[in-house]
């Protein structure tokens, strides 16, 4: 076995993954499309730990909470089993942005972990195989294996072997600007796993979500290939608002927004009236991610930074593939 270090970026979905057809394998009902986010990264170091009885997990320098450590250990088991290894592992995870607040830190975490753990177990996996492995940790992690613009194909097979992400355009195909407006630091109330389960079983709008999702995917895919910010932005906003409508209509309801979330939406719409080409999307949390042409990014970030309730803004753009940085 080896000691391996890998890095992966977060991603933001423009057409969302919202609803699992298989809870254990993280198999989605629909496809989804995302942009991998440069600079919002997680690094994972995975090393054999023969002297330890069990795995150890450090997150940003501190022992991981029990539930997180368990989730990561279960993921390590999947890779170990595949490599016929049993050795406990020492894992160190460092994330450069607020964890579990709706910037999909689980995506960069499990993508980086998939790459590092496979290398630590001396498994040579293709990007498609890594995407499938990462998906088992967290669905959206399947997309963070690739850089640029990425589509996760939902697949049909019950073992998940055809449910993986694939790049549709490279990062330099279209240098999109991304601004993340942080409206709330700290953990969200209901995680995406519970949120999706409630949406599937308890929201009367879930069937409408399924019936209309393919059109959004087509519009967004076509818009990305044509570098058409208006087409992508309007379809992404529509898809995001539908996802939140499904969530709000669940029993009990899922409220992911804070008052400042709505204030940012309002400001984005005003900025459009003032001539900027910016569009919002929101995941299962209160932060707002805004896309715009890269040369408008600073102006958009400055305007959103002044919205009452916005703590700070993060700037990003399409980022690179998950990468193995070191093996020894
Ligand atoms: O990968 P998960 O289980 O954290 O789910 C992510 C769900 C959304 O962020 C809301 C949508 C998406 O496609 O990333």
């Amino acid at each position: 076995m080896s000691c391996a270090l890998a890095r992966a970026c977060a991603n933001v979905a423009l057409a969302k993954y919202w609803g699992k057809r298989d809870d254990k394998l993280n198999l989605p009902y629909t496809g989804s499309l995302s942009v991998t986010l440069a600079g919002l990264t997680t690094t994972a170091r995975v090393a054999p730990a023969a002297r330890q009885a069990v795995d150890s997990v450090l997150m940003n320098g501190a022992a991981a909470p029990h539930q997180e450590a368990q989730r990561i250990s279960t993921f390590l088991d999947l890779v170990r089993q595949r490599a016929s290894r049993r050795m406990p592992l020492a894992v160190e995870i460092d994330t450069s942005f607020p964890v579990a607040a709706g910037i999909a830190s689980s995506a960069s975490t499990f993508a980086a972990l998939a790459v590092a753990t496979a290398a630590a177990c001396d498994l040579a996996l293709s990007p498609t195989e890594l995407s499938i492995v990462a998906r088992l940790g967290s669905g959206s992690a399947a997309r963070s294996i690739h850089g640029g613009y990425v589509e996760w194909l939902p697949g049909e097979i019950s073992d998940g072997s055809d449910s993986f992400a694939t790049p549709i355009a490279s990062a330099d195909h279209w240098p999109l600007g991304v601004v993340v407006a942080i409206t709330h630091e700290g953990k969200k109330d209901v995680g995406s796993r519970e949120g999706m389960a409630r949406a599937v079983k308890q929201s009367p709008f879930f069937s409408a979500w399924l019936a209309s999702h393919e059109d959004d995917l087509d519009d967004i895919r076509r818009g990305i290939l044509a570098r058409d910010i208006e087409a992508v932005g309007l379809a992404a906003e529509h898809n995001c608002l539908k996802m939140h409508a499904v969530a709000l209509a669940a029993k009990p309801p899922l409220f992911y927004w804070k008052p400042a979330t709505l204030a940012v939406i309002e400001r984005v719409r005003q900025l459009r009236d003032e001539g900027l080409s910016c569009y919002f999307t929101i995941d299962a949390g209160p932060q707002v991610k805004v896309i715009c042409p890269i040369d408008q990014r600073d102006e958009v970030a400055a305007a959103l930074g002044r919205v009452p309730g916005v703590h700070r803004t993060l700037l990003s753009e399409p980022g690179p593939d998950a990468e193995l940085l070191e093996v020894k």
Side-chain angles (χ1 to χ4, degrees), residues 105-121:
S105 61
S106 61
S108 52
T109 296
F110 283 100
L113 260 182
V115 173
T117 314
C121 293

Side-chain angles (χ1 to χ4, degrees), residues 30 35 38 56 63 91 111 115 120 153 202 252-253:
T30 67
V35 187
S56 59
V91 174
V115 173
L153 309 170
Q202 311 286 354

Side-chain angles (χ1 to χ4, degrees), residues 17-22 27-31 154-155 200 206 209-210 213:
Y17 150 53
W18 195 244
K20 300 176 204 262
R21 69 182 153 91
D22 183 314
L27 296 177
Y29 274 102
T30 67
V200 171
F206 190 70
W209 165 257
L210 291 185
H213 192 75

